[in-house]
Amino acid sequence: MNATRNEPAANDRWWRHPLLWMVIAGPALVVVASFVTFWYAWDSPDPLVSADYYRRGVEINKTLADKKLMPALAGRNHAATPAEAVPLPRREAAP
């Protein structure tokens, strides 16, 4: 009876197994991607604050304040409209 041995052959080197390269390829790809990301971030930093940030903030606050008053302005303009300038209501045709 022939006994089978589970020992690897002498010419069966570790670098000849494709599954091993698949296991190594994942972390190696992550390392390369991290260096590419670092290079991209270092090469083109984002400008976080503009030079005139205070003036822009004041302008934004003014526009937000104006939007809060829009209903009041519309009501005031409607009340100040003379009666002869108001268009007559449309009458729908009776069926």
Side-chain angles (χ1 to χ4, degrees):
M1 177 143 100
N2 293 337
T4 59
R5 296 164 61 173
N6 290 334
E7 295 177 12
N11 61 359
D12 198 16
R13 304 290 180 189
W14 64 270
W15 60 82
R16 294 189 185 207
H17 296 282
L19 186 61
L20 175 73
W21 289 109
M22 289 177 59
V23 170
I24 292 174
L29 185 65
V30 170
V31 169
V32 170
S34 66
F35 279 116
V36 169
T37 303
F38 175 75
W39 173 75
Y40 182 71
W42 187 268
D43 192 40
S44 59
D46 294 336
L48 298 178
V49 178
S50 63
D52 59 345
Y53 69 95
Y54 184 77
R55 183 185 57 82
R56 284 186 179 185
V58 169
E59 289 176 3
I60 289 172
N61 288 340
K62 284 181 183 177
T63 58
L64 292 175
D66 291 343
K67 287 181 181 179
K68 289 180 187 174
L69 296 177
M70 288 299 285
L73 291 175
R76 182 197 69 190
N77 292 342
H78 182 68
T81 305
E84 57 272 359
V86 175
L88 296 172
R90 286 192 254 168
R91 296 182 186 223
E92 295 181 15

